[in-house]
Amino acid sequence: MDQCKVIAIANQKGGVGKTVSTVSLGVGFARAGEKVLLVDADPQASLTVSLGVKSPDELDVTIATVMQRVIDERPPPDGYGILHHEEGVDLLPANIELSAFEVGLANVMSREYVLRETLEPLRERYDRILIDCMPSLGMMTINALAAADSVIIPSQPSYLSTKGLSLLMGSISKVKRQINPGLRIDGVLLTMVDNRTNNAKSIIASLRQTGDLLRVFDTEIPFSVRAAETSIEGKSIFAHDGRGKVAAAYENLVKEVMEHEQRQAARSRSQERIR
């Protein structure tokens, strides 16, 4: 039975902490004993750079290369294009070539499923695959949602950030309805939180009042300059500032995600017995 969990980290708004969250969650899961693959689905290659690849445009093999082989029905060799990071996670990198590749997807049959088909053989090798999505609702993000079991939505507690949530929720609902019926939303992750401002407190309170309509993680990621420095260092927050408040928050988030999954699995087993 396939036990690998594929999670898309998505929000069409940029600057909300998607990449830092992908790295921190990935390394956090690896520290908890899981085998983790991080997938960079953004031509800006922020995830690739954040994991120490300083010149991603010089890479010979990226996610675009691997997906093109899948389209051409030339199955890539085992481990093709995957890089290993010293903190125990693997990376399928990206670079600017992904931008042209995404445009070309418009002419591909079953274009929404190319990433799913690409990741399918990798599910046997990993406990968890995290996809860092680009800040748009383009074809690569649709591919990520089609390939994922669930979505985590990082969002700042600001008016403009939360205003875009309804658009994203609509896109996720459409993908669930037409492409990936098993897709679920794990929750909204509040990032760069500064609880000293009344505006942040008000928006957070409003989001948490949505109840069952939209789950908001209990864990909040505090604002920190140290977290922003991790991309430059090519390390996770655990290696860069392991004793800081952001590292502690992401450690709590990893536990919360795992506990949520365990509850969902138990609920599914219970429903199966009733049937």
Side-chain angles (χ1 to χ4, degrees):
M1 184 178 175
D2 182 9
Q3 295 297 320
C4 178
K5 295 180 177 65
V6 180
I7 303 175
I9 314 295
N11 192 327
Q12 79 275 15
K13 189 176 186 310
V16 295
K18 284 192 301 292
T19 300
V20 171
S21 295
T22 304
V23 173
S24 302
L25 273 170
V27 173
F29 287 128
R31 283 159 56 97
E34 293 192 345
K35 194 162 181 12
V36 180
L37 173 67
L38 305 182
V39 177
D40 195 343
D42 184 352
Q44 294 180 70
S46 299
L47 178 64
T48 302
V49 172
S50 295
L51 288 172
V53 181
K54 298 304 180 188
S55 302
D57 291 343
E58 295 177 8
L59 291 170
D60 292 326
V61 181
T62 64
I63 187 173
T65 320
V66 181
M67 290 176 72
Q68 186 61 54
R69 286 185 67 116
V70 170
I71 292 170
D72 296 339
E73 297 184 350
R74 293 184 298 129
D78 190 38
Y80 184 67
I82 293 176
L83 308 176
H84 185 70
H85 189 265
E86 60 187 12
E87 291 184 65
V89 296
D90 287 350
L91 168 69
L92 185 53
N95 61 19
I96 194 62
E97 289 179 7
L98 185 59
S99 185
F101 175 82
E102 184 185 30
V103 173
L105 273 175
N107 301 314
V108 174
M109 189 177 293
S110 301
R111 56 188 176 269
E112 298 92 349
Y113 299 99
V114 179
L115 183 56
R116 179 195 285 186
E117 194 175 339
T118 302
L119 297 181
E120 197 61 39
L122 296 173
R123 293 181 75 120
E124 299 175 4
R125 297 177 47 192
Y126 295 96
D127 300 305
R128 198 173 297 267
I129 298 174
L130 303 183
I131 308 170
D132 186 27
C133 298
M134 63 171 67
S136 78
L137 296 175
M139 187 50 62
M140 275 306 298
T141 299
I142 298 300
N143 262 257
L145 296 175
D149 300 310
S150 64
V151 190
I152 291 177
I153 307 170
S155 179
Q156 283 181 270
S158 66
Y159 173 72
L160 289 176
S161 187
T162 52
K163 188 173 183 289
L165 283 178
S166 58
L167 182 62
L168 178 61
M169 297 293 290
S171 296
I172 292 172
S173 295
K174 191 172 183 180
V175 169
K176 183 179 174 69
R177 202 166 51 247
Q178 300 180 1
I179 300 172
N180 183 5
L183 184 65
R184 67 178 187 276
I185 298 174
D186 283 337
V188 173
L189 171 64
L190 293 168
T191 60
M192 306 180 203
V193 175
D194 185 353
N195 277 314
R196 295 173 299 179
T197 67
N198 290 330
N199 184 49
K201 289 178 183 176
S202 172
I203 290 171
I204 291 170
S206 177
L207 278 173
R208 292 198 180 282
Q209 285 170 4
T210 57
D212 294 335
L213 294 176
L214 181 62
R215 180 173 182 266
V216 180
F217 285 104
D218 293 334
T219 305
E220 297 175 3
I221 310 302
F223 176 80
S224 169
V225 175
R226 300 285 282 170
E229 295 169 351
T230 57
S231 299
I232 302 168
E233 295 291 325
K235 301 175 181 176
S236 76
I237 191 65
F238 299 107
H240 182 65
D241 187 24
R243 296 184 178 181
K245 58 186 180 180
V246 176
Y250 276 113
E251 194 167 13
N252 287 337
L253 179 63
V254 167
K255 292 175 184 174
E256 187 176 350
V257 170
M258 287 179 154
E259 288 168 0
H260 177 62
E261 289 172 348
Q262 288 168 0
R263 286 194 299 271
Q264 285 218 319
R267 194 177 302 126
S268 296
R269 287 193 297 270
S270 176
Q271 289 171 349
E272 284 295 324
R273 282 196 297 270
I274 292 170
R275 288 177 194 154

